[in-house]
Amino acid sequence: MSASHSSHVKEAPYYYVPADSSHPVTASISLLVVMLGASAWVNSIEAGKWAVFAGLLGLFVVLYKWFGDAIRESEAGLNSKRIDASYRWSMSWFIFSEVMFFAAFFGALWYTRVVTMPWLGDLDHKQLLWPDFNAVWPNLGPAGVVEAFETMGPFWLPTINTALLLASGVTLTISHHALRENHRGKSMFWLFATIVLGFIFVGCQAYEYIYAYSSLNLRFDSGAYGSLFYMLTGFHGFHVLLGATMLTVILIRMLKGHFSADHHFGFEGAAWYWHFVDVVWLGLYLFVYWF
């Protein structure tokens, strides 16, 4: 996300090819350690969790150095318009992969509610297998092994979170337009406001989980509803945290004098990701909390 240049740097007239790097290999090794540690951890091997933590730490170090190299290349004027186009296409395909990721979970929610639930509640299944099952969403499942729980409605915390994310989209847009007009102070102020709103959202989401567990008995094993609720909202919360972290890095770069009114794809890439997160939340708010 660094195909951007400071205003004092001339753009390279060629397609820059970086030198050989160990980052891909070290990142792969770190991920392998994480996977092996996770396999050991789920099989009750004590050293497994420490391997997971060590692998994640190694991955963070590699990513820090890798992105640092990309930023230095950008600020040194080594990236041309061809590189900028490559970054834009790469970010676009990355966001498309995230769209497919969430589409799978939304698809699971749709399939459970529209296909599986009526099927289990039809006359044949009620007579032969599940006479006490009511095909009403949400439910405790047909087998009666799920503990009773209450659902999470849209009021008030999810609605507050919706307002927070929508407001953050507005503040980020203001920040972007200010940067394009070369009003750096204004841009940094509204970017900071966006970051604060994002982390407040994450805090509210954590409070919602505590409330759901302690007061509603809504857990990950609370049937299909509980599993889908935590998978959808949990992964979205992780994406908000990741997006807020990306925007924080962009703010730090702006404080260091990076980006100009004409060259700031690092900012734009993070903004694309943030707006994607906003749109996903609107889907969650409607189909998880309302309907």
Side-chain angles (χ1 to χ4, degrees), residues 105-120 137 139 223-225 228:
F105 290 110
F106 277 110
L109 178 63
W110 173 84
Y111 188 84
T112 301
R113 296 184 60 174
V114 178
V115 179
T116 304
M117 186 179 65
W119 180 59
L120 292 174
W137 183 262
N139 55 67
Y225 177 87
L228 290 169

Side-chain angles (χ1 to χ4, degrees), residues 97-287:
S97 73
E98 295 280 37
V99 171
M100 294 297 100
F101 177 84
F102 278 101
F105 290 110
F106 277 110
L109 178 63
W110 173 84
Y111 188 84
T112 301
R113 296 184 60 174
V114 178
V115 179
T116 304
M117 186 179 65
W119 180 59
L120 292 174
D122 64 19
L123 186 59
D124 291 337
H125 286 84
K126 287 182 71 68
Q127 286 181 334
L128 299 176
L129 296 175
W130 320 112
D132 298 325
F133 178 70
N134 292 318
V136 178
W137 183 262
N139 55 67
L140 301 179
V145 297
V146 177
E147 294 184 14
F149 63 88
E150 297 181 49
T151 61
M152 181 68 69
F155 299 109
W156 279 101
L157 197 55
T159 300
I160 293 173
N161 270 344
T162 303
L164 288 171
L165 275 190
L166 290 178
S168 71
V170 173
T171 57
L172 183 58
T173 301
I174 295 173
S175 177
H176 187 197
H177 282 283
L179 179 58
R180 293 177 63 180
E181 295 169 0
N182 207 27
H183 298 156
R184 297 183 61 85
K186 180 180 178 181
S187 178
M188 287 186 284
F189 172 81
W190 288 108
L191 179 58
F192 176 75
T194 304
I195 295 168
V196 171
L197 290 171
F199 281 113
I200 292 176
F201 175 93
V202 174
C204 290
Q205 193 77 57
Y207 177 79
E208 180 184 71
Y209 279 6
I210 294 172
Y211 174 76
Y213 259 74
S214 60
S215 301
L216 303 181
N217 197 38
L218 179 58
R219 303 173 184 273
F220 193 80
D221 59 355
S222 296
Y225 177 87
S227 298
L228 290 169
F229 174 83
Y230 284 109
M231 290 295 285
L232 281 164
T233 60
F235 272 117
H236 178 267
F238 170 75
H239 282 72
V240 173
L241 182 61
L242 179 60
T245 303
M246 292 165 60
L247 292 176
T248 301
V249 173
I250 296 301
L251 178 60
I252 294 173
R253 291 189 60 188
M254 291 186 70
L255 291 171
K256 291 183 176 181
H258 296 189
F259 307 126
S260 68
D262 299 323
H263 301 283
H264 53 264
F265 178 68
F267 186 108
E268 289 180 332
W272 292 357
Y273 187 83
W274 191 257
H275 291 308
F276 158 75
V277 169
D278 284 352
V279 173
V280 172
W281 176 256
L282 291 178
L284 287 174
Y285 182 61
L286 292 175
F287 296 109

Side-chain angles (χ1 to χ4, degrees), residues 32-77:
L32 177 62
V33 172
V34 171
M35 293 298 102
L36 293 176
S39 300
W41 195 354
V42 298
N43 286 284
S44 302
I45 299 176
E46 182 65 21
K49 65 179 180 181
W50 299 112
V52 171
F53 296 146
L56 288 176
L57 178 61
L59 180 63
F60 291 148
V61 171
V62 172
L63 292 178
Y64 177 82
K65 293 182 177 180
W66 202 341
F67 280 105
D69 288 346
I71 291 171
R72 282 187 289 272
E73 292 164 2
S74 173
E75 292 304 304

